[in-house]
Amino acid sequence: MKTRYWQALVGTALLALALPWAAYSETNAHTAALTAVWCLMAMGWNIISGFAGPLSLGQGAFFGLTAFSSTVLFDRLNLSPIFGIMIGVAASVVLAAAVGLITLRLSGLYFALATLTVPLILGVLTKYFGYYEISRPYVGESLRYLQFDSSLNYYLIAAILVAIGLALTAYLAGTRTGRYFVAIRENTRAAEASGVPTARYKLYAFLIGAAFSAIAGGLYSQLAFVFNPDDVYTPLVSVQALLIVLIGGPGTVLGPLIGALIVIPGGELMTQHFSQLPGLNNLAYAAVLLVVALFSHGGLYPLLEGGIGRLFGRRAAHIGPAVPNARTPASTADSRDSDATGSTDPRSDTGRDAAGRAESVTQGETR
Amino acid sequence: MVLIQALVNGLLIGAVWGVLGLGKQIVLGVIHFVNFAHGHLVLLGMYLTLFAWITTGADPFLLLPVVAIAMVILAFILDRLLVRRLIKLGERSQMIATIALALVIENAALLIAGPQPRTLQNSWSDKAVQLGGVYLNAGRLMGLAIAILAFVVTWWIITKTPLGVMIRATSQNRAAAQYMGIDIGRVYAYAFALSVALAGVVGSLYVVSTPVDPSTAWTFLILMFIVPVLGGLGSIAGTFLAGLIVGVLQLLSTTYFDIQLQDALVYGVFVLFLVVRPQGLFGRAADQRQVSV
Amino acid sequence: MTGEAATLELEQVSKQFGGLHAVDGVSFAVGEGERVGLLGPNGAGKTTLVNCVTGDHRPSGGRVILRGRPVQGLKPHQLFARGLARSYQVVNPFPSMTVLESTMIGALVHGRDVSQAEERAMEALRTLGLAHRANITMSQLNIVAIKEAELARIVASEPSVVFLDELLAGLRPTEVSHLLDVIEDICTAGRWTVVMIEHLIGAIVRFCGRILVMNEGKLLADGSPEEITKDARVIDAYLGSKWRNRA
């Protein structure tokens, strides 16, 4: 139970440890700030798709909406981006409620595709109404307008929000709501039959996730200085969030941070070193992803967890999904499409033996 | 007359979207492989056609079989390196890996061909046929003919050949097919090759009338999912019809609203369809496919 | 039926799929603490009937009355909260959860307090003699252990009416008799009203005081095990001629 709070503490410590590195140069500070912002974005995706299950490819909608509100309201109405972000978060939650009520009852692929279209529609409409390339008015160093000469300040703000986000995620994971999310992800039908109001809790997860992603979008637009619908409403924004979490470890508290710490500085480093040849940096980035997808499909966090567990000679508490594609006889027997393992007899000898062995091993471990 | 012109142009481009959806349909509906890189394979087809045309100067439609064969060879390589493993690993890994593959293709294109849009200027581009006041672009008309041919050939492969029987058996019940002695790995390899070849065909058809740059691939991202889902997973006829519908919708909104709203209308109709009739036009069982995370 | 009000009552429950009448006007009542067996050949509509009662399907017609209140059309989670639980024919676990975590999901129906739910779940596991498995991940369990863990999830929710859909299907004879002992104990302790669907007639005869027989969507017979095994219609429709000769 307490491992979750440990994860939040470890995460906060990592953020603090990064501070001297971030303070070393403006480039570092910018990278650190971007990392924290993308971590927040990834946390949003982690709540809906990592914890609760439904695969959202539309987190970019909330990211973009708040980037839009914080920049445009500042530019047109001279409203502080702080309020702009708050308005954006509120609007995102409302949008998420509308989208979620319509689409969350769709199954896997269909929900993913429906959400994929949301940021694209927003992008088209934004451009249609003439909002593109909107720069943030320059007011000089001002906390009130979230404008700083050094990116370090952005890092501090974003890092504090990430720390809060970690604590919230850790708290959430321990509550009934968090348990229900995991139950829905693991087996929606069984969850429903065990008293989980699955439709309602999926919506909760979607709303919470939308709020996280919205805050990230607001901060991102402060770092970017310019609002451009093509930058924030592209599917790549949602994909970035998904990749960060999948690399870090979905359904874990620390996963988004670990993923962001690898993906964002890694990407920036490549950009700095290979900027003469356009494409090469992203090519290397994509190649790394490909390798990760093929060889560590549970994310890095479970590997770390396993390592730490072995280090201290105890069984690591299991929070996140096991190997997500582990085909247990049990999980496949339920799947309605008749794929290879789905229709095999769950009582086949191999399954029984493997299970029996696993049981005896774990029993031997009990002290 | 404007309406008819829009409808006709919509049908012409829609036929290409039909083939796009068909290639996707085979991997999604038949071998249950979630391929986010399909649009980027189309991009590859576009560049292959373009470079073959630059090198040889031959008619792009004559180059099409060459491109298709090159794509088939690529498909077998990809199958060995990636697809085979990914099918075992499950949908989540498939998603990350194919997104990564998409980025690899896009950035390789950026590295080799550069960011500037390139146009295939050929004899087909400017020729038009007039038919009772309606202008038909000759390149697009040829595209329609080839699209229909691609559909007929695919339909023939799936329904009439032994390979097709194996593909259909595998798609319905993988385990049973295996017990019947069907080599699942080979069936997947051939089905994937067919899908990639169709992506190449789309690339060849599209590049004749549209400039290509590395980011072009993302315009296919949604369309390639919309068309098979709209048509109904597993339905070849539905896919063709869905492609035509999408094309007509695009052209209608371009003609009557604003070119910028073109995609919004398509997405809107798609979401509406998902909610009202998730099994698609010709789909049999609705929520049979689950993508789990 | 005794004179007092039934715990669960079905009135003309029907379910159609297209033109197929999977369940066709089934009515019966189950009294408090009663154990009813539901028999019938494959495709008789037993599971569809259960699905209509537990909210997995919405009945096309008829009423389901739980403790005097109509509940047809409610969602499974709403019925679960009212004390109506079920097990599934095919195991339906949460693969990455531990047995304890999975059991807690059932216990959480009583309130949002997680530590209280944990105690309740632990209690249920002890009742079933599964406490030693509390921290084992579900995906590592074999089929019998998964069925037991799913039973624990139901026990932890402290239900009043329980549908057991082929809980014993596919088990070895020794496993069947073990699990049946376990169910016998918890039913008595928890004062459950049970509807048991099973192909193993021996188990039904041993466990249930009353048997319902379904065939082709309709209720064919309703009576004590002795009556049912002698009913000519039932024997013809389901048990086959061998039984008639033996009886």
Side-chain angles (χ1 to χ4, degrees), chain A residues 45 49-50 53-55 57 102-103 105-111 113-114 116-118 120-121 124-125 127-129 132 185 234-236 239 242-243 246-247 250 277-283 285-287 289-290 292-298 321 324-325 327 336-341 343-345, chain B residues 28 32 34 36 81-82 85-86 88-93 95-101 103-108 110-111 115 170-176 178-179 218 221-222 225-226 229 233 257-258 260-264 267-268 270-271 274-276 278-279 285-293:
Chain A
W45 189 84
S49 305
L55 173 66
L57 294 178
I102 300 171
T103 60
R105 61 199 177 87
L106 299 170
S107 68
L109 178 66
Y110 296 95
F111 173 74
L113 293 177
L116 184 61
T117 61
V118 178
L120 294 168
I121 292 175
V124 170
L125 292 177
K127 278 190 277 183
Y128 179 70
F129 290 109
Y132 38 85
R185 176 192 75 205
T234 153
L236 282 175
V239 165
L242 167 157
L243 289 175
L246 291 181
I247 287 175
L277 283 169
L280 189 62
N281 54 334
N282 287 325
L283 193 66
Y285 169 81
L289 280 180
L290 204 55
V292 169
L294 283 174
F295 296 105
S296 164
H297 43 280
N325 304 307
R327 293 230 169 234
R336 274 170 292 162
D337 71 26
S338 49
D339 61 9
T341 40
S343 46
T344 41
D345 179 7
Chain B
L28 200 62
H32 308 314
V34 181
F36 272 81
L81 292 178
L82 270 179
R85 288 165 207 213
L86 287 173
K88 284 194 202 112
L89 289 177
E91 273 146 347
R92 181 183 279 184
S93 296
M95 274 169 28
I96 327 177
T98 53
I99 288 169
L101 177 64
L103 293 174
V104 167
I105 295 173
E106 181 176 348
N107 290 294
L110 189 64
L111 209 57
T170 310
S171 82
Q172 276 163 24
N173 192 332
R174 210 183 287 188
Q178 216 153 13
Y179 290 135
W218 296 104
L221 179 72
I222 303 288
F225 281 111
I226 286 183
V229 171
L233 286 185
F257 303 109
D258 188 298
Q260 288 186 317
L261 289 181
Q262 163 181 329
D263 294 332
Y267 304 153
F270 173 61
V271 174
L274 275 183
V275 173
V276 179
Q279 69 270 42
D287 298 341
Q288 286 290 302
R289 300 277 306 118
Q290 290 254 345
V291 175
S292 55
V293 172

Side-chain angles (χ1 to χ4, degrees), chain A residues 174-176 179-180 183 186-187 189-190 192-197 315 318 322 328 330 333-334 347 352 355 359 363, chain C residues 76-77 80 88 90 92-97 104-105 108 111 114 132-133 135 139-140 142 146 153 170 172 175:
Chain A
T175 62
R176 177 168 77 167
R179 301 301 176 115
Y180 277 3
E186 291 287 300
N187 190 334
R189 191 171 172 216
E192 179 75 32
S194 306
V196 180
R315 240 170 67 86
H318 207 103
T328 62
D334 159 71
R347 281 175 49 81
R352 185 173 275 270
E359 201 179 326
Q363 273 170 350
Chain C
H77 72 86
F80 191 84
Y88 283 94
V90 182
N92 221 359
F94 304 117
S96 83
M97 285 190 189
M104 280 169 69
I105 296 297
L108 280 166
V114 172
H132 61 287
R133 289 197 198 132
N135 292 317
S139 60
Q140 296 178 326
N142 65 26
I146 290 172
R153 198 161 74 217
R172 292 172 183 159
E175 292 162 349

Side-chain angles (χ1 to χ4, degrees), chain C residues 96-109:
Chain C
S96 83
M97 285 190 189
T98 64
V99 172
L100 179 62
E101 284 168 338
S102 158
T103 311
M104 280 169 69
I105 296 297
L108 280 166
V109 77

Side-chain angles (χ1 to χ4, degrees), chain A residues 39-49 59 205 208-210 212-213 256:
Chain A
C39 174
L40 277 171
M41 174 68 181
M43 282 173 160
W45 189 84
N46 191 33
I47 299 282
I48 173 70
S49 305
Q59 293 305 105
I208 298 170
F212 270 100
S213 299

Side-chain angles (χ1 to χ4, degrees), chain B residues 192-248:
Chain B
F192 183 67
L194 181 59
S195 150
V196 175
L198 286 169
V201 170
V202 174
S204 287
L205 297 183
Y206 199 64
V207 78
V208 171
S209 53
T210 319
V212 55
D213 72 79
S215 69
T216 309
W218 296 104
T219 56
F220 305 125
L221 179 72
I222 303 288
L223 287 177
M224 73 192 189
F225 281 111
I226 286 183
V227 175
V229 171
L230 208 58
L233 286 185
S235 165
I236 293 178
T239 306
F240 190 61
L241 197 61
L244 295 182
I245 290 173
V246 168
V248 167

Side-chain angles (χ1 to χ4, degrees), chain A residues 152-175:
Chain A
L152 192 61
N153 292 308
Y154 292 116
Y155 174 67
L156 287 174
I157 293 174
I160 289 168
L161 288 169
V162 168
I164 294 171
L166 286 171
L168 274 177
T169 314
Y171 168 75
L172 191 70
T175 62

